[in-house]
């Protein structure tokens, strides 16, 4: 392991962190030196109520102990070997994703209404729990719902396909939170750290990332505020995915791009902020009956490719 590995140094090992401060940091999900080192004094102080000067000293120590700086490509390769994958339930979708959904990454699905974004979110909350031999990673899931479309009944239907999972236990492993506005959405993600560790969360779903932002920030003048906040939100997700080796699945809406006269004018909302942060972007569109087409349009090391899947009573299938 590299000396600046993310999981190694606990907050208790930092100068200036006594039991009382450690507890406040823990309550807010700040459990490792890394979580401290990548934040500003203002941010941590705002979260914990501890004074900024105290926090400043702790951050300095966290940064020096972590030796943040360059790593060799071999060290990065070693870290990336911790990445684990689980199935989406559709072989063809898994294939274009190099084997399925992976940890340390953000998967974004965008597309029109009823293209299957929410269905995939439900499906993944179950497949992440499957035994390793059966394509899962034996983790639990956290579902942040901004649109009010989460349905445990739907999960039970999908679970009929996986008799190896006890339905009651499977639902106990899915932690649901309704986000009521964009500030609330940010707060939820801020507070996720301790639960992730305690409950072995390996998947965080945000369905959708954008709806509150779209309805709260209307008009050109507010766009940069919106983008800044959205940026903060998505970077928190990215931090979580790396610090806890988990997968993030977000859904996004679409809009019509002005100025596109030929071809498909449908583009994802959220602009560059979401585009740059998503590791994998899937564009979903409807095909015949219950068939859907997913096109992988943006990935660091996979080609553009399409997969066809079906939405059935038992979830996402080929
Ligand atoms: P989006 O989130 O992209 O708006 P959804 O993920 O909610 O769309 O997908 C809606 C589609 O899923 C609809 O076409 C609906 O018919 C299908 N669907 C939802 N539940 C079931 C079910 N129990 N059996 C079969 N199809 C279903
Ligand atoms: Mg939906």
């Amino acid at each position: 392991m590299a000396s600046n590995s993310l999981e190694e140094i606990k907050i208790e090992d930092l100068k200036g962190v006594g039991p009382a401060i450690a507890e406040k940091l823990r309550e807010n999900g700040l459990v490792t030196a890394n979580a401290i080192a990548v934040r500003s004094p203002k941010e941590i102080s705002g979260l914990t109520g501890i004074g900024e000067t105290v926090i400043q000293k702790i951050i300095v120590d966290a940064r020096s102990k972590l030796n943040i700086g360059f790593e060799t490509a071999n060290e990065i390769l070693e870290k990336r070997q911790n990445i684990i994958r689980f199935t989406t339930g559709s072989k063809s979708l898994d294939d274009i994703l190099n084997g399925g959904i992976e940890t340390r990454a953000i998967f974004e699905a965008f597309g029109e209404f009823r293209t299957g974004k929410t269905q995939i979110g439900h499906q993944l909350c179950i497949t992440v729990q499957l035994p390793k031999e059966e394509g899962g990673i034996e983790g639990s899931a956290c579902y942040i719902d901004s649109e009010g479309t989460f349905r445990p009944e739907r999960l039970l239907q999908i679970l009929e396909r996986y008799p190896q999972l006890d339905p009651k236990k499977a639902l106990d492993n899915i932690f649901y939170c309704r986000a009521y506005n964009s500030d609330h959405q940010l707060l939820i993600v801020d507070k996720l750290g301790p639960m992730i560790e305690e409950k072995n969360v390996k998947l965080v779903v945000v369905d959708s990332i954008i709806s509150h932002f779209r309805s709260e920030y209307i008009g050109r003048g507010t766009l940069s505020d919106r983008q800044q906040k959205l940026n903060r939100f998505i970077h928190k997700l990215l931090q979580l995915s790396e610090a806890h080796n988990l997968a993030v699945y977000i859904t996004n809406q679409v809009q019509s791009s002005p100025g596109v006269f030929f071809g498909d004018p449908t583009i994802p909302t959220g602009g560059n902020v979401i585009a740059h942060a998503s590791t994998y972007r899937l564009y979903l569109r409807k095909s015949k009956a219950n068939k859907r087409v997913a096109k992988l349009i943006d990935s660091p090391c996979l080609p553009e490719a399409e997969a066809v899947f079906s939405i059935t009573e038992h979830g996402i299938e080929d």
Side-chain angles (χ1 to χ4, degrees):
M1 264 287 160
S3 59
N4 49 359
S5 156
L6 294 178
E7 284 85 7
E8 273 171 327
I9 304 168
K10 297 279 175 222
I11 45 170
E12 284 82 358
D13 300 329
L14 300 174
K15 252 183 251 163
V17 179
I21 289 183
E23 194 180 324
K24 281 190 188 149
L25 293 170
R26 279 193 178 278
E27 277 170 7
N28 289 285
L30 304 166
V31 291
T32 60
N34 178 67
I36 305 290
V38 298
R39 287 178 166 84
S40 68
K42 197 169 171 179
E43 192 183 351
I44 298 181
S45 178
L47 276 173
T48 59
I50 305 168
E52 278 188 43
T53 38
V54 176
I55 295 291
Q56 175 70 43
K57 285 182 191 142
I58 300 172
I59 290 177
V60 167
D61 193 45
R63 289 181 181 170
S64 73
K65 287 209 165 86
L66 278 172
N67 180 29
I68 287 180
F70 288 95
E71 294 171 79
T72 67
N74 270 319
E75 283 163 341
I76 301 293
L77 186 66
E78 198 180 329
K79 273 189 191 170
R80 290 191 55 79
Q81 273 154 7
N82 299 341
I83 290 176
I84 35 182
R85 289 191 175 74
F86 62 97
T87 179
T88 61
S90 152
K91 174 91 173 57
S92 80
L93 199 49
D94 287 353
D95 283 346
I96 65 167
L97 294 173
N98 196 23
I101 300 292
E102 68 186 33
T103 56
R104 288 181 184 267
I106 294 187
F107 288 77
E108 173 197 352
F110 68 93
E112 282 175 13
F113 184 55
R114 291 170 74 84
T115 48
K117 305 179 294 293
T118 298
Q119 297 301 313
I120 296 177
H122 282 64
Q123 171 86 26
L124 298 179
C125 287
I126 293 169
T127 50
V128 70
Q129 299 188 44
L130 286 169
K132 296 198 170 112
E133 320 78 74
E134 290 165 53
I137 56 177
E138 295 168 27
S140 56
C142 167
Y143 198 108
I144 301 167
D145 181 9
S146 68
E147 301 190 348
T149 49
F150 177 79
R151 296 288 178 275
E153 302 86 334
R154 183 64 178 131
L155 294 169
L156 287 174
Q157 277 187 338
I158 301 173
L159 276 161
E160 285 172 17
R161 178 171 155 203
Y162 301 103
Q164 60 275 59
L165 296 176
D166 172 42
K168 170 139 193 338
K169 280 192 194 140
L171 295 198
D172 274 340
N173 285 333
I174 300 170
F175 303 93
Y176 172 82
C177 192
R178 177 87 157 98
Y180 289 102
N181 55 49
S182 63
D183 283 310
H184 188 211
Q185 199 170 309
L186 251 109
L187 180 72
I188 295 167
V189 171
D190 263 340
K191 302 269 179 189
L192 270 185
M195 198 189 74
I196 287 173
E197 288 296 319
E198 191 191 331
K199 307 285 187 191
N200 187 33
V201 171
K202 285 289 159 202
L203 168 72
V204 174
V205 173
V206 187
D207 183 25
S208 74
I209 183 161
I210 196 77
S211 60
H212 288 313
F213 289 91
R214 264 185 120 176
S215 60
E216 289 165 31
Y217 295 84
I218 298 164
R220 285 256 138 213
T222 62
L223 196 61
S224 77
D225 289 347
R226 183 190 94 169
Q227 290 307 87
Q228 272 183 31
K229 204 163 162 194
L230 192 57
N231 196 29
R232 268 196 1 246
F233 180 73
I234 200 153
H235 276 90
K236 276 180 188 160
L237 291 173
L238 209 52
Q239 271 174 12
L240 288 177
S241 82
E242 297 195 352
H244 305 280
N245 195 29
L246 55 80
V248 175
Y249 171 75
I250 62 175
T251 68
N252 190 4
Q253 300 169 346
V254 288
Q255 65 191 62
S256 205
S257 170
V260 174
F261 300 106
F262 302 100
D264 188 350
T266 313
I267 56 163
T269 55
N272 287 339
V273 165
I274 299 184
H276 290 163
S278 296
T279 332
Y280 298 93
R281 312 194 92 184
L282 283 172
Y283 175 30
L284 304 182
R285 56 179 206 274
K286 277 185 232 166
S287 180
K288 282 192 190 120
N290 66 348
K291 298 275 184 217
R292 299 289 185 275
V293 181
K295 184 174 186 188
L296 181 67
I297 60 162
D298 199 358
S299 137
C301 54
L302 296 177
E304 280 204 354
E306 283 193 347
V308 178
F309 65 89
S310 314
I311 307 176
T312 72
E313 197 192 335
H314 292 133
I316 302 298
E317 301 186 71
D318 280 317

